[in-house]
Amino acid sequence: MAPARTRVNSLHVAVIGAGAAGLVAARELRRENHSVVVFERDSKVGGLWVYTPNSEPDPLSLDPNRTIVHSSVYDSLRTNLPRECMGYRDFPFVPRPEDDESRDQRRYPSHREVLAYLEDFAREFKLGEMVRFKTEVVLVEPEGQKWKVQSKNSDGISKDEIFDAVVVCNGHYTEPRVAHVPGIDSWPGKQIHSHNYRVPDQFKDQVVVVIGNFASGADISRDITGVAKEVHIASRSNPSMTYSKLPGSNNLWLHSMIESVHEDGSIVFQNGKVVQADTIVHCTGYKYHFPFLNTNGYITVEDNCVGPLYKHVFPPALAPGLSFIGLPWMTLQFFMFELQSKWVAAALSGRVTLPSEDKMMEDVTAYYAKREAYGQPKRYTHRLGGGQVEYLNWIAEQIGAPPGEQWRYQEIDGGYYRLATQSDTFRDKWDDDHLIVEAYEDFLRQKLISSLPSQLLES
Ligand code: FAD
């Protein structure tokens, strides 16, 4: 662990966004005695989990001047992780209050339950009082040793303020990435990105091709099978001859990637199969996007790699005044937000010392080189996957926190395995009850819950 300094600074800090990352960042910064203003352009906390039936007017979200709808949540969405491992460490994601029937008690609850959990979290720690709602940050730039933050409220009134530090928590599931499909410009069908998908009605009786088969692709294709004539999933991670009917429905097929699309409406897959399709749904992920950030070109986003960033959090030349919470993916998101936030708060107060700028840059360069040597594409720079335990435990060590619990890591590993191998049933069928028991016993031991849930006592 980096040596602790004796002098502890209390700084004036701006947090951008009141989603799951911004909320815990605000809590940790205040715990460390900083004064905090959270800027949130929406009218409530929760970020991505604030469902709206509205979507953007441009179904592929290509128009840079479009009206932005932040959330990418669809109506049927349930979490893709078991709730025990998904929550913040000291505020577990258990049904609250335990006897409230209106809450979703399932292990993989609906998006409404996640929002309710985040609202509970904000209420419990009185975070709302730090948030300036309906206030969008439009510019962040260095001003001497400090940071200028320009924001605009819902009346269009702009305000410039100076902060000692800025913590960026603006989320990264709002700016869609669209797959390049040969021939698409003359293909006559409709296209939509999963960011703008809410309910399946518009696909009634259609033949639909869904590109992408990770969490959203797997969910949305199944959602659509209920109303569509046929649904075909195209995935670039499948071998080129892939062609199979998927279990759980009689109109869903899995293919390799699309080879080309044509003026007559046909879609040719790499496996040689051809379908006449009405719509393509792009479940192809998102781009990091910081339209408000001006660092004179120091921080760039290239092929979805945000850099340079030390451990995905601190830009070496601007640390610790500027930091990013929540960039890595394929990991325990809320748990990571909590650890990263504690690290940022402690680095700002001086309780934890960061390495010199040169040392941080060396680390960034070595990290890029290692990823490249393993053949990882640049766009996967922030994908943790198998590296998450090392990363999360390393941050925990910096702040003197215990490493992540074994049950937590085992739950996410098992959860991802089930998602990949039984995408139709993974939320309702599992074989790791022992990990649920371990998790709840752990919560009980730490007095984070007052008793074991009745279902556990019965089993
Ligand atoms: P967000 O929740 O997106 O919050 C960002 C906030 O910043 C928003 O409130 C936004 O309004 C605000 N904002 C943005 N720009 C500005 C600005 N300029 N000025 C002011 N405010 C601004 N994770 C899980 O752990 N479990 C799951 O089951 C899961 N399912 C997911 C399903 C989908 C479809 C997607 C897309 C993601 C899922 N995730 C899941 C990942 C999820 O994104 C994270 O869990 C987490 O909610 C992201 O939190 P965040 O605070 O980083 O971003």
Side-chain angles (χ1 to χ4, degrees):
M1 188 172 63
R5 282 198 228 142
T6 42
R7 197 165 65 84
V8 174
N9 302 318
S10 169
L11 303 182
H12 189 42
V13 186
V15 173
I16 304 174
L23 287 173
V24 74
R27 187 189 69 168
E28 296 307 327
L29 287 161
R30 191 171 59 185
R31 277 181 168 171
E32 194 77 19
N33 262 334
H34 301 298
S35 74
V36 183
V37 177
V38 181
F39 293 89
E40 172 50 60
R41 65 180 171 197
D42 205 336
S43 55
K44 54 194 296 197
V45 302
L48 173 100
W49 299 99
V50 180
Y51 173 79
T52 165
N54 304 325
S55 57
E56 294 178 5
D58 164 10
L60 283 181
S61 300
L62 294 175
D63 177 0
N65 300 316
R66 69 194 188 277
T67 306
I68 305 279
V69 173
H70 186 81
S71 183
S72 299
V73 160
Y74 31 94
D75 192 40
S76 64
L77 182 84
R78 290 169 64 189
T79 65
N80 50 40
L81 294 179
R83 64 189 305 159
E84 310 83 45
C85 70
M86 184 174 148
Y88 302 115
R89 188 179 229 173
D90 64 359
F91 191 76
F93 186 18
V94 296
R96 287 166 203 271
E98 285 157 41
D99 55 357
D100 185 344
E101 300 270 305
S102 73
R103 296 289 288 261
D104 186 343
Q105 313 263 342
R106 291 174 295 180
R107 191 181 189 203
Y108 287 81
S110 85
H111 59 85
R112 293 175 185 83
E113 175 72 5
V114 184
L115 179 61
Y117 165 74
L118 290 172
E119 289 169 343
D120 287 346
F121 179 72
R123 201 174 310 111
E124 174 80 13
F125 296 98
K126 301 187 173 49
L127 305 177
E129 62 196 33
M130 287 184 271
V131 185
R132 264 190 230 160
F133 290 105
K134 294 191 173 178
T135 309
E136 179 173 7
V137 170
V138 291
L139 179 68
V140 170
E141 62 184 15
E143 177 129 331
Q145 295 301 305
K146 302 200 177 223
W147 290 87
K148 179 165 104 180
V149 174
Q150 188 176 88
S151 61
K152 206 168 69 180
N153 70 13
S154 50
D155 300 325
I157 297 171
S158 287
K159 193 169 171 184
D160 286 357
E161 288 162 277
I162 300 296
F163 288 87
D164 296 308
V166 175
V167 184
V168 179
C169 306
N170 67 327
H172 48 90
Y173 293 104
T174 297
E175 194 66 22
R177 200 172 52 213
V178 173
H180 170 68
V181 178
I184 198 72
D185 290 342
S186 49
W187 187 72
K190 291 191 200 126
Q191 295 183 71
I192 176 174
H193 189 278
S194 56
H195 174 58
N196 294 310
Y197 175 79
R198 297 294 181 268
V199 288
D201 309 16
Q202 63 180 297
F203 303 104
K204 190 163 169 12
D205 300 328
Q206 290 192 3
V207 174
V208 180
V209 171
V210 174
I211 305 180
N213 191 28
F214 194 54
S216 297
D219 272 358
I220 291 174
S221 53
R222 285 182 192 282
D223 217 16
I224 295 175
T225 54
V227 300
K229 190 170 156 209
E230 292 173 14
V231 181
H232 300 265
I233 302 175
S235 169
R236 69 176 167 196
S237 47
N238 290 337
S240 61
M241 290 321 285
T242 303
Y243 178 65
S244 60
K245 198 163 193 192
L246 290 175
S249 63
N250 58 10
N251 58 351
L252 179 61
W253 287 266
L254 182 65
H255 298 257
S256 44
M257 191 43 192
I258 296 173
E259 174 87 34
S260 56
V261 298
H262 302 270
E263 268 176 50
D264 62 358
S266 62
I267 293 189
V268 181
F269 296 91
Q270 284 171 353
N271 59 13
K273 302 286 173 197
V274 181
V275 299
Q276 292 288 328
D278 301 287
T279 305
I280 294 177
V281 184
H282 295 253
C283 297
T284 41
Y286 294 85
K287 299 185 217 166
Y288 294 99
H289 192 50
F290 311 100
F292 47 81
L293 192 59
N294 175 15
T295 56
N296 290 319
Y298 180 72
I299 295 174
T300 59
V301 184
E302 279 170 22
D303 195 14
N304 234 19
C305 163
V306 187
L309 287 182
Y310 176 59
K311 308 289 183 198
H312 309 278
V313 174
F314 291 109
L318 302 171
L322 184 66
S323 56
F324 295 78
I325 305 291
L327 298 197
W329 52 284
M330 270 203 86
T331 183
L332 289 160
Q333 297 277 293
F334 291 23
F335 180 58
M336 176 188 74
F337 299 162
E338 191 174 7
L339 292 176
Q340 289 180 329
S341 298
K342 284 178 193 288
W343 189 33
V344 167
L348 287 173
S349 69
R351 221 166 35 79
V352 163
T353 310
L354 296 176
S356 67
E357 180 186 337
D358 286 352
K359 286 267 174 250
M360 286 195 269
M361 260 327 284
E362 264 173 41
D363 187 90
V364 175
T365 312
Y367 177 70
Y368 289 170
K370 189 170 154 197
R371 308 274 313 186
E372 212 178 317
Y374 281 116
Q376 299 277 352
K378 194 169 185 179
R379 64 176 186 279
Y380 285 174
T381 298
H382 304 292
R383 179 191 207 254
L384 291 187
Q388 70 165 329
V389 174
E390 187 186 339
Y391 176 76
L392 296 171
N393 287 351
W394 183 90
I395 298 192
E397 195 187 336
Q398 303 310 297
I399 51 175
E405 304 87 341
Q406 282 306 314
W407 60 260
R408 200 184 287 274
Y409 293 140
Q410 285 168 7
E411 278 205 355
I412 186 173
D413 279 354
Y416 277 147
Y417 178 75
R418 285 196 301 276
L419 168 64
T421 53
Q422 45 172 97
S423 62
D424 54 334
T425 57
F426 76 97
R427 292 186 173 93
D428 298 302
K429 280 194 184 143
W430 55 78
D431 55 5
D432 58 353
D433 277 334
H434 62 291
L435 295 177
I436 306 181
V437 174
E438 262 184 62
Y440 276 88
E441 284 177 352
D442 210 0
F443 300 152
L444 190 63
R445 214 173 10 255
Q446 294 181 63
K447 302 194 169 45
L448 299 170
I449 55 173
S450 52
S451 60
L452 288 176
S454 48
Q455 312 90 286
L456 289 193
L457 292 172
E458 283 157 18
S459 62

